[in-house]
Amino acid sequence: DALTDNFMYLIVDVATNTAAAVDPADAEVAVAAAARLGATITHVLTTHHHYDHAGGNNQMKKLCPSVEVVGGRGENVQGATREVADRECLQLGDAVTITAIHTPAHTAGHTSYLASAPSSSSAVFTGDALFVGGCGRFFEGGPEDMCETMRRLSALPREALVYAGHEYTVKNLQFALEVEPGNSAAQQKIRWAEARRASSEPTVPSTVGDE
């Protein structure tokens, strides 16, 4: 099941009870989660075209007929009603600004989304570009593209929260320790991650500074 390790997220503007769903591959689950919060989904933010991230978009449009489905320019995500360029902004409710960040390599038009609001920590939703302890596979780009993606993400505030698209932390850190077996930070982090997973707890969010 491709969705067993996926993360979907809701960004909620509490003043207006409007929400953006990030990569809602299971549309029914996303809509039900919003209903429990008393929120209405007005936007879908799609990081890239792969089915385990964009495959619920058409169903989201059926369940939320007025929803705006956002994807990166040229990415051709399922059901897109708006394509955004690098650094293009959109507004969620009264307080939340969402900025698109072009983060290619996994796919050519892969886009991360930075959510910010007054007096709150910002959060970046990185899909399959940046994970906790690692980065995404190169399907439509190369190392130079990923280096540029990491440069763009590393320029964000160090305290910005990082919400990745998959629960890959333990596997990423296992690989890191194969490459650098003496890395004490990775050793400490994998012990923490393994304990979290043993308790069925997620290892997100991280922060830009940590990654």
Side-chain angles (χ1 to χ4, degrees):
D1 185 347
L3 300 181
T4 55
D5 56 27
N6 277 73
F7 288 119
M8 304 182 292
Y9 300 102
L10 290 174
I11 307 167
V12 179
D13 176 65
V14 294
T16 60
N17 287 325
T18 53
V22 182
D23 288 348
D26 191 324
E28 286 80 5
V29 169
V31 171
R36 288 194 297 272
L37 296 172
T40 299
I41 296 174
T42 57
H43 296 78
V44 168
L45 306 178
T46 312
T47 59
H48 62 294
H49 66 81
H50 290 165
Y51 184 79
D52 60 326
H53 294 261
N57 287 359
N58 286 340
Q59 184 65 11
M60 286 294 299
K61 293 169 76 172
K62 292 179 182 178
L63 297 174
C64 308
S66 62
V67 74
E68 183 172 59
V69 178
V70 179
R73 183 165 295 174
E75 183 67 1
N76 297 317
V77 303
Q78 182 187 106
T81 61
R82 176 177 175 180
E83 291 193 340
V84 289
D86 184 47
R87 298 297 171 179
E88 188 171 340
C89 295
L90 58 91
Q91 193 69 23
L92 174 65
D94 291 341
V96 181
T97 300
I98 296 170
T99 304
I101 304 171
H102 184 215
T103 47
H106 187 68
T107 65
H110 190 291
T111 298
S112 299
Y113 298 94
L114 177 69
S116 56
S119 304
S120 298
S121 296
S122 57
V124 61
F125 299 83
T126 55
D128 286 3
L130 175 65
F131 300 113
V132 181
C135 66
R137 294 175 64 186
F138 307 164
F139 285 114
E140 298 175 10
E144 65 284 355
D145 298 301
M146 186 57 77
C147 285
E148 176 61 18
T149 284
M150 293 300 110
R151 185 193 66 78
R152 292 178 180 183
L153 293 174
S154 66
L156 299 176
R158 289 180 57 82
E159 68 275 11
L161 300 175
V162 174
Y163 290 92
H166 292 271
E167 181 58 77
Y168 286 168
T169 305
V170 171
K171 291 180 180 179
N172 287 340
L173 293 170
Q174 287 172 341
F175 174 74
L177 288 168
E178 286 184 11
V179 177
E180 295 184 0
N183 187 317
S184 59
Q187 292 168 356
Q188 181 177 358
K189 187 81 169 185
I190 197 171
R191 288 194 293 269
W192 171 84
E194 288 172 338
R196 293 282 294 177
R197 300 307 299 140
S199 300
S200 298
E201 296 290 338
T203 60
V204 295
S206 184
T207 66
V208 168
D210 282 349
E211 297 312 313

